[in-house]
Amino acid sequence: MKNCLYAAGILISGLCFSQETGSKVKASFFDGIVAAGYVDHGAFINFTGPNVSFTHKGLKLIAGMLPSLRIKEDRSPGTKNSPVTPNLGAGITAVYKKIAFQIPVYYNTKTSAENGAWKVGIGLGYSFR
């Protein structure tokens, strides 16, 4: 009987405490990712903000907000806006090891020259965690 209990304990501990990590979903405020990229004839530098992430083995998928600095020259006639503006975007980020690939979307507000629209971009970054 004692040997059966030992065998059951070893079997259960082997299944429960194995070193392979499973997939998990997690919400976080900041993931330590910095990215730079291109959107709507300009550049952006952003950090991952509040998000929901899914981790499976070495791949991490993140969907969330992207606090950013957009760098774009204002080519409208008359008074010019600053070339660097703060902006909040949303997007999907995939992280493999320390390299991050990002697809952000930003909203450009309506102006006298064009209607408001969502603009899709592409970016590459680094994960500090």
Side-chain angles (χ1 to χ4, degrees), residues 38-42 44 66 70 72 87-91 103-109 114-122:
Y38 175 81
V39 65
D40 190 30
H41 307 293
F44 66 83
L66 305 170
R70 288 186 63 189
K72 183 179 177 183
N87 203 322
L88 181 64
I103 300 176
V105 291
Y106 295 99
Y107 186 74
N108 290 345
T109 56
E114 62 184 67
N115 289 329
W118 286 94
K119 303 291 182 173
V120 178
I122 189 164

Side-chain angles (χ1 to χ4, degrees), residues 15-26 53-60:
L15 294 174
C16 295
F17 301 112
S18 62
Q19 293 186 7
E20 183 178 329
T21 59
S23 302
K24 63 180 178 176
V25 175
K26 178 181 165 187
S53 64
F54 173 75
T55 305
H56 180 71
K57 295 187 181 179
L59 180 66
K60 184 174 192 177

Side-chain angles (χ1 to χ4, degrees), residues 61-79:
L61 297 174
I62 302 167
M65 307 307 288
L66 305 170
S68 309
L69 286 176
R70 288 186 63 189
I71 305 161
K72 183 179 177 183
E73 182 183 353
D74 186 6
R75 297 185 178 165
S76 63
T79 307

